[in-house]
Amino acid sequence: MDLSRFTFRLNRFIFGLVFGHSVKYIIFSSFFFSSNQQEGLGVTSYKADPWCARFYCHMLYIIFFPQMVRLPAGTFTMGTDKPGIPQDGEGPPRRVQLDAFHMDIYEVSNLDFERFVTDTGHVTEAETFGDSFVFDGFISEEIKRAIDKAVAAAPWWLPVKGADWRHPEGPDASISDRMDHPVLHVSWNDASAYCAWAGKRLPTEAEWEYACRGGLEKRLFPWGNKLQPKGEHFANLWQGTFPSNNTAEDGYVQTSPVDAFPTNGYGLYNMVGNAWEWTSDWWDTRHSIDDAYNPKGPASGTDRVKKGGSYMCHKSYCYRYRCAARSQNTPDSSASNLGFRCAADAAGTP
Ligand SMILES: *[C@@H]1O[C@H](CO)[C@@H](O)[C@H](O)[C@H]1NC(C)=O
């Protein structure tokens, strides 16, 4: 083995050993934040050192911290014959064959999304509309007083003026201590734009569910059938009485870092819980039972499929933190529990 290759491997080994997973955000936050604070808003720009920020740091990041994992081609059972929420179209189970593809290991974080916005000037739909949906338990009394409408079927959702990805609970909130948490208040259109910028795309629902299952067949969760093996928490969900009492037994009242909790069999984090994740499919609750090959969902629709549930899900009202579970929103919707991750084709692989 030549010396440069050996040094590279050694570096990588030591980085992994010493820093584990979380610290990459600290390292790269410090690259981005050190010299570039704009008026204390925590807004970064590449202008101070474009070469380092845009190329060198980025290459280091990619080399030391792979962001995607290649999932092997395979056939799996999509959906379930024991639907937890039958009206969501969780059944019938059907055999689905997929080519190999790449999947983001983590949900897209605030730090990731900030790089995208800095680079492209993208304005999210929540920012354009001027409001987004926020869970009322996290809204300050001051902001609550200004709100006059709510969602009749789900009164805990309130449209908050000025809520967006940088201000998840409204204008008086900030993400500066949550840069490694999933980005929220991003619509399907925003998510698609991000993935395209990154040279990726949103996963299909079939790819997402295959990734969620982590190589296990017909299990409820990414890690098996038991929600808390040996009493351990494997996902960021709601503990306590929803919506009044969040005991945060899993360690988090709201979102958690994108690398919190154990990975599934494919090395993916937070496939269920934390934030809902957009997929590329249109929503329909009726499915053909025929075997399918790389299915991409209905040709048209009004809503897009989201998967995985969120930190707000509790079995009593949102038993949707299962791989087969699904829900939907219009492509311009955004909320304080909805994010995404990207996928990519695995070129030249069967
Ligand atoms: C929330 O639930 C926990 C556990 O059941 C209980 O100990 C606590 O008193 C409750 N808190 C409130 C504010 O109801």
Side-chain angles (χ1 to χ4, degrees):
M1 190 187 290
D2 73 62
L3 188 64
S4 65
R5 183 166 286 251
F6 175 75
T7 312
F8 169 78
R9 291 237 172 119
L10 187 67
N11 268 338
R12 187 169 174 147
F13 176 73
I14 291 169
F15 252 75
L17 208 64
V18 174
F19 293 126
H21 287 292
S22 298
V23 170
K24 65 181 175 290
Y25 289 103
I26 299 167
I27 296 168
F28 284 90
S29 299
S30 62
F31 272 124
F32 291 122
F33 285 96
S34 53
S35 57
N36 297 340
Q37 295 285 340
Q38 288 177 357
E39 292 153 14
L41 292 174
V43 181
T44 53
S45 110
Y46 292 125
K47 290 195 183 84
D49 192 352
W51 187 81
C52 175
R54 300 187 70 160
F55 182 75
Y56 183 66
C57 298
H58 189 60
M59 290 319 288
L60 275 179
Y61 188 82
I62 287 170
I63 290 166
F64 286 114
F65 308 110
Q67 295 297 294
M68 299 192 97
V69 67
R70 183 182 180 279
L71 305 196
T75 302
F76 78 110
T77 305
M78 184 170 174
T80 174
D81 56 3
K82 297 186 193 68
I85 305 180
Q87 65 271 28
D88 283 350
E90 294 178 8
R94 57 265 183 213
R95 295 294 283 170
V96 169
Q97 188 190 344
L98 295 177
D99 291 334
F101 63 101
H102 294 277
M103 190 74 163
D104 278 353
I105 294 171
Y106 316 99
E107 292 168 332
V108 171
S109 69
N110 285 316
L111 184 63
D112 298 328
F113 202 77
E114 180 170 79
R115 288 185 47 237
F116 161 61
V117 168
T118 306
D119 199 36
T120 62
H122 181 87
V123 177
T124 61
E125 292 197 279
E127 290 167 287
T128 305
F129 296 145
D131 65 14
S132 187
F133 280 96
V134 182
F135 176 62
D136 75 352
F138 304 132
I139 304 171
S140 66
E141 288 305 319
E142 194 179 338
I143 286 177
K144 246 189 233 180
R145 275 197 293 276
I147 298 170
D148 47 17
K149 51 181 176 171
V151 183
W156 48 84
W157 281 117
L158 295 175
V160 172
K161 285 198 175 56
D164 58 42
W165 72 275
R166 287 188 199 278
H167 310 96
E169 296 81 33
D172 53 0
S174 150
I175 52 169
S176 60
D177 59 348
R178 293 182 259 179
M179 293 310 286
D180 58 350
H181 288 221
V183 64
L184 305 172
H185 297 293
V186 282
S187 69
W188 187 91
N189 297 313
D190 298 324
S192 298
Y194 174 96
C195 291
W197 167 80
K200 306 176 187 177
R201 58 176 173 77
L202 284 174
T204 66
E205 182 181 4
E207 286 171 337
W208 191 98
E209 190 167 324
Y210 181 76
C212 180
R213 293 179 180 281
L216 301 174
E217 263 289 298
K218 299 183 181 174
R219 296 298 198 278
L220 290 172
F221 310 116
W223 55 87
N225 275 334
K226 212 168 166 220
L227 181 60
Q228 286 178 243
K230 298 187 181 136
E232 299 278 311
H233 289 279
F234 276 65
N236 182 5
L237 305 171
W238 186 288
Q239 295 88 42
T241 310
F242 186 87
S244 57
N245 185 355
N246 183 345
T247 63
E249 271 164 43
D250 57 13
Y252 300 95
V253 175
Q254 294 179 249
T255 54
S256 46
V258 297
D259 61 354
F261 300 98
T263 62
N264 74 359
Y266 288 150
L268 305 171
Y269 287 88
N270 289 295
M271 288 304 294
V272 300
N274 212 18
W276 279 99
E277 298 179 17
W278 288 111
T279 74
S280 58
D281 290 28
W282 288 110
W283 169 263
D284 195 344
T285 54
R286 296 153 301 165
H287 313 288
S288 164
I289 58 163
D290 295 343
D291 292 1
Y293 173 61
N294 291 332
K296 293 186 168 28
S300 62
T302 56
D303 290 3
R304 296 288 185 175
V305 177
K306 61 179 183 179
K307 298 281 277 185
S310 80
Y311 65 89
M312 286 172 55
C313 276
H314 183 274
K315 193 168 184 178
S316 65
Y317 91 110
C318 172
Y319 185 36
R320 293 194 175 92
Y321 41 88
R322 294 167 291 114
C323 294
R326 55 208 299 274
S327 191
Q328 92 270 29
N329 278 111
T330 58
D332 59 359
S333 297
S334 60
S336 59
N337 66 347
L338 177 50
F340 68 105
R341 77 180 72 208
C342 309
D345 294 338
T349 46

